[in-house]
């Protein structure tokens, strides 16, 4: 019997609600399998910050290191500046464990209403591979003359050849593995960012020569935002920098129905360190406590985790149960046009496993 040890960090807001739901589903799903998921809960969150002045203990990274995976809800609290919470927990974990490939699928499932007219199920079916350890999120910068009238803020983006090449290569490998349109789109803004983004473009030109069987194109981020809405059918694998990938994946989420369906994995492809699985959405303070958060993004994220752990067929089983509930259309939260509660959706998914 294989054992997978999973660190669970529910975090803040609806993160707590949807993680609770996903763990219930996982426990049912894995009841009769030839592997065990062992969950260890960590209360690292904004509440932890209110008590301790930090988001996680000083040796937090070391504590997580021994796990096979990290399952996180969301982080962010209206009473704490977001850069404090996120730079205290989420972003350091992504960097420390070299989770350089953030994979975010956008699939238009049957039964989901999209705001884009004329689309049929599966007309949207792409994955954004977001660089996840450097770029615009490198956390390099500072203030001068802080709080004086002449104040200056500098925030530097860091793009390395190694960092660009490895995530671009990951995108090509994924296109081959998917075997759908065999296409990779690279997104930059080289017309304005003449150093970082042209390095990315050169890396893309180099790497694509290694994959003659994969067609490619390059788009500027502004045009890409437009095309995600104008012709989302065109995309297969999309590779983008940290910030651009962040923005594009909220568009990907909403054109395929809801933030409540958008799954995500922060992957260390070498598997040397634990990868972290958290949905694309945040802590959603506007709906917290109303019992209407959609747990499907967190549950589909658990599917990505199972696949990464090597339990792909169980991951597919989980995705199919979610798809079934969506297609039946009887038990959906308000973001998908229904009036069911989080726990009712959870139970519906469990009964469709
Ligand atoms: P958000 O993703 O939390 O919410 C955006 C909108 O989508 C809201 O209207 C919300 O109600 C809705 N929504 C999100 N998830 C939903 C779900 N599962 N079911 C139903 N509706 C859902 O983004 P935001 O409001 O910009 O951010 C809120 C906080 O979360 C901020 O503090 C932000 O920094 C943080 N955040 C954290 C993460 C993370 O931990 N990975 C991701 C994004 C934002
Ligand atoms: C996401 C989130 C985070 C990001 C924030 C909360 C720092 O928006 O995971 O998409 O930008 O990476
Ligand atoms: Mn985001």
């Amino acid at each position: 019997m294989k054992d997978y040890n999973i660190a669970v960090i529910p975090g803040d807001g609806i993160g707590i609600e949807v993680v609770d739901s996903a763990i219930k589903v996982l426990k049912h799903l894995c009841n009769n399998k030839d592997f065990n998921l062992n969950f260890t809960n960590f209360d690292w969150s904004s509440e932890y910050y209110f008590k301790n002045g930090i988001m996680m203990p000083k040796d937090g990274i070391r504590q997580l290191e021994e796990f096979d995976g990290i399952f996180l809800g969301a982080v962010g609290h209206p009473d704490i500046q977001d850069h404090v919470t996120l730079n205290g927990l989420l972003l350091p974990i992504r960097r420390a464990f070299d989770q350089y490939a953030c994979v975010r699928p956008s699939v238009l499932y049957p039964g989901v209403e999209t705001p884009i007219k004329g689309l049929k199920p599966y007309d949207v079916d792409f994955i954004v591979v977001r660089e996840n350890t450097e770029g615009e999120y490198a956390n390099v910068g500072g203030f001068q003359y802080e709080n004086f009238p002449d104040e200056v803020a500098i925030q530097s983006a860091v793009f390395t050849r190694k960092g660009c090449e490895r995530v671009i290569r990951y995108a090509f490998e994924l296109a081959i593995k998917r075997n759908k349109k065999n296409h990779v789109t690279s997104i930059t803004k080289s017309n304005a960012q003449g150093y970082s983004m042209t390095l990315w473009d050169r890396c893309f030109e180099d790497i694509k020569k290694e994959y003659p069987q994969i067609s490619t194109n390059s788009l500027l981020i502004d045009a890409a935002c437009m095309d995600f809405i104008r012709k989302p059918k065109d995309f297969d694998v999309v590779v983008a920098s940290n910030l651009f990938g962040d923005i594009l994946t909220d568009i990907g989420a909403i054109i395929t129905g809801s933030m409540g369906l958008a799954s995500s994995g922060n992957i260390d492809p070498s598997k040397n360190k634990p990868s972290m699985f958290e949905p694309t959405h945040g802590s959603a303070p506007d709906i917290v406590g109303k019992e209407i958060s959609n747990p499907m993004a967190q549950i589909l994220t658990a599917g990505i985790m199972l696949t990464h752990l090597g339990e792909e067929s169980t991951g597919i089983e989980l995705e199919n149960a979610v798809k079934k509930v969506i297609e039946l259309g009887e038990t959906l939260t308000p973001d998908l046009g229904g009036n069911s509660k989080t726990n009712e959706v959870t139970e519906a998914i469990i009964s469709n496993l």
Side-chain angles (χ1 to χ4, degrees):
M1 195 79 147
K2 276 174 285 179
D3 274 284
Y4 302 112
N5 297 320
I6 307 299
V8 180
I9 310 176
D12 296 321
I14 66 160
I16 298 166
E17 304 169 9
V18 295
V19 165
D20 178 64
S21 159
I23 299 288
K24 280 189 189 130
V25 174
L26 280 173
K27 283 185 175 162
H28 272 84
L29 176 70
C30 300
N31 201 14
N32 289 316
K33 304 287 179 200
D34 62 350
F35 64 89
N36 287 321
L37 292 178
N38 306 317
F39 301 111
T40 305
N41 222 64
F42 291 85
D43 65 351
W44 305 343
S45 59
S46 296
E47 288 308 321
Y48 185 95
Y49 180 88
F50 289 130
K51 285 190 211 119
N52 303 291
I54 41 177
M55 290 297 292
M56 64 173 165
K58 284 211 172 69
D59 68 344
I61 297 292
R62 201 198 48 71
Q63 288 190 44
L64 294 175
E65 205 159 23
E66 65 197 64
F67 286 89
D68 298 304
I70 304 163
F71 194 56
L72 186 141
V75 183
H77 191 287
D79 297 337
I80 314 176
Q81 283 188 311
D82 276 337
H83 72 92
V84 174
T85 39
L86 279 319
N87 280 308
L89 182 62
L90 191 75
L91 302 176
I93 297 175
R94 291 179 186 170
R95 284 193 290 261
F97 296 144
D98 216 14
Q99 296 162 349
Y100 68 83
C102 175
V103 293
R104 295 187 159 178
S106 288
V107 182
L108 183 58
Y109 289 126
V112 173
E113 226 179 283
T114 163
I116 315 283
K117 65 174 191 276
L119 290 180
K120 298 187 301 302
Y122 298 106
D123 273 354
V124 188
D125 183 355
F126 60 74
I127 298 195
V128 174
V129 179
R130 166 188 182 189
E131 200 295 317
N132 214 33
T133 53
E134 54 174 46
E136 307 87 342
Y137 281 51
N139 206 24
V140 177
F143 299 109
Q144 249 187 345
Y145 318 119
E146 199 170 342
N147 290 321
F148 286 94
D150 291 332
E151 182 163 3
V152 178
I154 294 182
Q155 180 110 37
S156 299
V158 175
F159 285 74
T160 64
R161 177 171 279 278
K162 178 182 141 200
C164 296
E165 283 184 356
R166 65 185 186 172
V167 76
I168 291 168
R169 189 168 278 115
Y170 185 90
F172 277 94
E173 294 292 336
L174 184 62
I176 292 172
K177 190 161 168 250
R178 273 164 69 78
N179 197 19
K180 290 196 170 167
K181 296 195 177 80
N182 291 301
H183 189 80
V184 176
T185 305
S186 164
I187 313 286
T188 56
K189 183 68 187 172
S190 315
N191 51 355
Q193 307 267 289
Y195 301 111
S196 54
M197 296 278 163
T198 58
L199 168 61
W200 176 291
D201 284 344
R202 281 187 277 121
C203 292
F204 189 72
E205 290 304 310
D206 290 346
I207 304 285
K208 82 179 193 194
K209 292 187 194 120
E210 297 171 25
Y211 298 92
Q213 71 275 45
I214 303 293
S215 60
T216 65
N217 66 328
S218 292
L219 291 174
L220 298 166
I221 179 65
D222 42 0
C225 289
M226 180 183 67
D227 279 350
F228 263 40
I229 291 164
R230 183 172 63 154
K231 39 182 187 176
K233 283 187 202 178
D234 283 10
F235 296 97
D236 179 13
V237 176
V238 177
V239 63
S241 68
N242 214 328
L243 180 63
F244 293 171
D246 176 50
I247 295 165
L248 285 170
T249 49
D250 268 32
I251 302 179
I254 211 65
I255 63 172
T256 50
S258 171
M259 289 305 291
L261 287 178
S263 57
S264 173
N266 303 290
I267 309 291
D268 164 20
S270 76
K271 298 199 172 178
N272 289 332
K273 298 277 166 60
S275 292
M276 178 162 67
F277 304 88
E278 41 150 348
T280 299
H281 68 72
S283 53
D286 56 336
I287 57 165
V288 68
K290 296 184 179 163
E291 295 172 45
I292 54 165
S293 54
N294 187 348
M296 288 172 170
Q298 189 79 43
I299 293 167
L300 292 168
T301 295
I304 300 181
M305 177 170 79
L306 287 165
T307 299
H308 180 78
L309 292 171
E311 305 298 342
E312 188 165 11
S313 60
T314 309
I316 291 169
E317 224 178 292
L318 185 56
E319 186 189 0
N320 284 339
V322 173
K323 271 161 54 176
K324 191 77 183 289
V325 172
I326 296 172
E327 203 166 357
L328 288 170
E330 291 158 357
T331 322
L332 300 174
T333 41
D335 58 304
L336 291 179
N339 51 25
S340 300
K341 301 279 187 198
T342 309
N343 68 323
E344 292 166 338
V345 173
T346 309
E347 290 308 323
I349 293 170
I350 289 172
S351 58
N352 278 284
L353 282 172

